[in-house]
Amino acid sequence: MKLSIAMWGKALRVIPRVSKEEWKELDPIAKWLIATRSAIFVLTFFSATVGALLAAADHAFSWPKYLLCAFGLVFAHGANNLANDYTDSARGVDKDNYFRTMYGPQTVEMGLWSRQKMRMVIGVTALLAASCGFVLFLLSGPAVLWLMAVGAFFVFFYTWPLKYIGLGEPTVELVWGPLMVAGTYLTMTGVWSWRVAAIGALFAIGTTSVLFGKHTDKLLEDKAKRIHTLPVILGERNARWAVIGMLALQPILLIWFVAIDWLEFPMLIFLFSLPLIMRTIKIFTVPRPSKKPKDFPAQFWPTYLSGYAFLCSRKTSGLFALGLALSLFVR
């Protein structure tokens, strides 16, 4: 089978929309990258990187442990996305769901994979994540098992019931922040640090804003399906202003962390993202349009608010990691 390397790159940048005919021509890796919505993996990668750089500041960096953490978290994220689609399909949530099939292939609902094949792919992906965790356990000790147990809980219970009762967004803040960042730090240093956990929570604001935007984009669809995400509970206007508050709070907290010496002054490079943060805030100040604006790319609709939040989070996450790397260089 010919490798679809061009599609690998595309799937890591955006969530491609493919027909059944196109799907049949793809290699297994391309199919996996598309099915797992791998474009968002960059934020998971940055979480592991932030934790590793904080460990490096304490003279405890390890390439093998970093790579195991990064790949383990990416595979866990992939298993979560696959389980999300499988569960929503089994519960009838994604049946005739305009929003879900528009922002990327729902492999079960579109008949690209059978439910049996989907279960197999979920199992293999979860096994790869667990394998990375097991090697980390051998290298770093039993604390890794606790991290794996907590992570497994969120992977398999995020879609139901957590997302249904307004806990999906807090889960993302907890997982992409303290769990991933402080967890990576723990595997390298052998120590749990509440300071690192707080830095992780600060970092994860960007990722949480993306999910908040996504659930606001599909608020009406979720409400009709009785999925009580936080935007459904808060309402469209309050959900938008919650994201505005998060985006505004992130640079403020970062400056404070620098002022109290939790972070070093090179982290202020993060402030170069302020123009983008302000443009994103402006998008969230007005109601989400019910139809695609003329100047909005058709390939990204209907992920409107989440699209803007993702572009913002990708840049702020990169600058956050760059600031930590520069802090090491200045030292």
Side-chain angles (χ1 to χ4, degrees), residues 94-314:
D94 284 344
K95 184 177 179 60
D96 301 322
N97 188 329
Y98 161 81
F99 188 96
R100 176 60 189 90
T101 56
M102 281 298 292
Y103 79 77
Q106 216 293 13
T107 51
V108 177
E109 289 297 319
M110 295 176 65
L112 305 178
W113 280 341
S114 65
R115 289 190 179 181
Q116 181 181 5
K117 179 64 176 291
M118 188 66 146
R119 288 194 296 269
M120 183 193 74
V121 176
I122 292 171
V124 171
T125 305
L127 180 62
L128 289 170
S131 298
C132 292
F134 179 72
V135 177
L136 281 168
F137 159 68
L138 296 178
L139 295 175
S140 301
V144 174
L145 296 179
W146 288 103
L147 295 173
M148 290 175 63
V150 174
F153 172 81
F154 288 123
V155 164
F156 291 106
F157 292 102
Y158 164 79
T159 303
W160 188 89
L162 298 177
K163 185 173 70 173
Y164 278 67
I165 55 176
L167 294 179
E169 294 80 9
T171 292
V172 167
E173 175 65 24
L174 176 63
V175 171
W176 266 259
L179 188 60
M180 288 190 182
V181 174
T184 299
Y185 179 90
L186 172 64
T187 64
M188 295 191 186
T189 64
V191 176
W192 175 266
S193 168
W194 287 107
R195 177 185 71 88
V196 172
I199 294 171
L202 167 63
F203 170 80
I205 287 174
T207 306
T208 307
S209 72
V210 177
L211 184 68
F212 237 103
K214 175 185 171 183
H215 287 170
T216 307
D217 280 331
K218 63 190 189 84
L219 186 151
L220 295 178
E221 289 81 0
D222 280 343
K223 189 173 183 179
K225 299 284 186 177
R226 298 183 180 180
I227 303 173
H228 299 102
T229 63
L230 269 186
V232 169
I233 295 170
L234 296 173
E236 198 263 359
R237 181 180 183 279
N238 289 337
R240 287 188 289 105
W241 281 95
V243 174
I244 290 172
M246 287 188 286
L247 294 177
L249 183 62
Q250 194 173 26
I252 293 172
L253 285 178
L254 184 136
I255 293 172
W256 180 46
F257 280 15
V258 171
I260 63 175
D261 290 330
W262 276 17
L263 292 170
E264 299 180 8
F265 77 91
M267 285 298 300
L268 295 179
I269 195 174
F270 181 89
L271 299 182
F272 281 105
S273 66
L274 281 178
L276 178 58
I277 290 175
M278 295 306 298
R279 289 197 296 272
T280 307
I281 285 175
K282 184 177 179 181
I283 293 294
F284 277 81
T285 57
V286 297
R288 178 188 183 275
S290 58
K291 296 182 179 180
K292 185 186 78 68
K294 291 182 179 180
D295 59 346
F296 190 81
Q299 62 179 335
F300 299 126
W301 183 262
T303 53
Y304 179 76
L305 295 175
S306 54
Y308 282 107
F310 173 69
L311 291 175
C312 182
S313 179
R314 187 169 61 182

Side-chain angles (χ1 to χ4, degrees), residues 2 12 29 33 82 91 93 127 190 274 296 309 328:
K2 183 179 179 180
L12 289 168
I29 295 176
L33 290 172
L82 293 168
R91 294 177 63 85
V93 172
L127 180 62
L274 281 178
F296 190 81
L328 292 175

